[in-house]
Amino acid sequence: MTEAAELPPAPEQARDVFGDRYADAVRYAELLAEAGVQRGLIGPREVPRLWERHLLNCAVLSEVVPEGVTVCDVGSGAGLPGIPLALVRDDLKITLLEPLLRRTNFLTEVVELLGLDHVTVVRGRAEEVLGTLQPVHVVTARAVAPLDRLAAWGIPLLRPYGEMLALKGDTAEEELKSSGTALSKLGAVETSILHVGEGVVDPLSTVVRVEVGESPGGVRFAAKRAKAAQAGRARRRR
């Protein structure tokens, strides 16, 4: 049996969540089940639970993303949560940031196939694009790294008073508690745990929200951003 044959039909909730983009969501699920598995982007055991565990679980993140903002999905991988978020929110300008070439190739193919004009794919690590990527309102991430390490990568990409939204599992509360000192040093001013997806996913999706003040990443990263921006301006003048 092929991996594509193991993909279950989309649940009824998917029609409500994705609306006019429902057909595109189905096509994305098929791509994950076929090319995504073949290229090693997701495990074959994930195919039967692609809808509930992956697409819908990520799409409901839209409940806590403000309107009309810029978003950077750090370590986007196969496009989770960035692509489901893009399918339900065409008011957002989303950057899918991913260091591995085989993944960025897949992401580029998906973005072009689904006509996601408000999505850009960038190859690189968060620390590499600092100063070259325009600071964003929101950083998203899912299954990338423990919260303290993820924050060190993601928070410096934020503009002042932005926020990081990290999809987490059962360890969310424990990770948040153990990362308190590190988050404060990175400029975090408020943290919270949110549960989204009522009536769509069970269990609800758990989101760790980290809000920053006027110096996302702390003083050290503010200086690094300024230096990178200055270098960028110098290159453009040549």
Side-chain angles (χ1 to χ4, degrees):
M1 182 179 292
T2 66
E3 300 301 345
E6 295 178 11
L7 178 67
E12 277 303 309
Q13 298 96 314
R15 292 186 180 274
D16 295 330
V17 170
F18 291 103
D20 293 342
R21 285 283 195 170
Y22 170 74
D24 290 328
V26 171
R27 184 65 186 121
Y28 177 50
E30 293 170 347
L31 289 167
L32 287 174
E34 297 165 359
V37 171
Q38 292 164 7
R39 300 186 195 183
L41 304 183
I42 65 165
R45 293 183 179 180
E46 296 303 309
V47 174
R49 49 187 185 179
L50 268 178
W51 284 104
E52 289 81 2
R53 185 182 175 92
H54 298 287
L55 274 76
L56 291 174
N57 178 275
C58 290
V60 296
L61 181 63
S62 65
E63 294 178 18
V64 291
V65 177
E67 287 187 21
V69 298
T70 52
V71 178
C72 181
D73 189 32
V74 173
S76 195
L80 301 165
I83 288 178
L85 183 61
L87 287 170
V88 297
R89 294 287 299 277
D90 60 8
D91 61 300
L92 304 175
K93 186 175 180 181
I94 300 176
T95 298
L96 306 179
L97 181 62
E98 168 57 45
L100 295 185
L101 180 60
R102 62 187 172 89
R103 293 176 180 171
T104 54
N105 285 342
F106 175 78
L107 293 173
T108 299
E109 291 166 18
V110 172
V111 167
E112 291 177 355
L113 183 66
L114 302 185
L116 298 174
D117 298 333
H118 57 305
V119 178
T120 302
V121 178
V122 174
R123 184 184 175 197
R125 300 181 185 279
E127 58 270 32
E128 296 170 346
V129 301
L130 187 64
T132 60
L133 191 70
Q134 280 288 100
V136 296
H137 298 90
V138 177
V139 162
T140 59
R142 177 180 187 257
V144 174
L147 186 61
D148 55 350
R149 202 185 324 158
L150 172 62
W153 297 334
I155 287 181
L157 300 177
L158 290 170
R159 47 188 289 169
Y161 307 104
E163 60 185 334
M164 184 177 76
L165 300 172
L167 280 162
K168 288 288 183 179
D170 297 336
T171 63
E173 190 170 341
E174 181 183 333
E175 284 192 54
L176 186 55
K177 190 177 297 183
S178 64
S179 301
T181 301
L183 293 175
S184 295
K185 289 180 178 178
L186 288 165
V189 294
E190 190 169 339
T191 61
S192 55
I193 294 178
L194 313 172
H195 299 283
V196 296
E198 183 72 43
V200 178
V201 290
D202 184 18
L204 299 178
S205 296
T206 301
V207 181
V208 175
R209 171 186 270 162
V210 179
E211 300 172 71
V212 301
E214 61 183 13
S215 298
V219 176
R220 182 166 64 90
F221 283 102
K224 188 175 180 180
R225 269 196 304 272
K227 184 177 180 181
Q230 185 178 20
R233 287 193 296 269
R235 284 194 300 270
R236 287 193 294 271
R237 286 196 295 267
R238 290 172 186 168

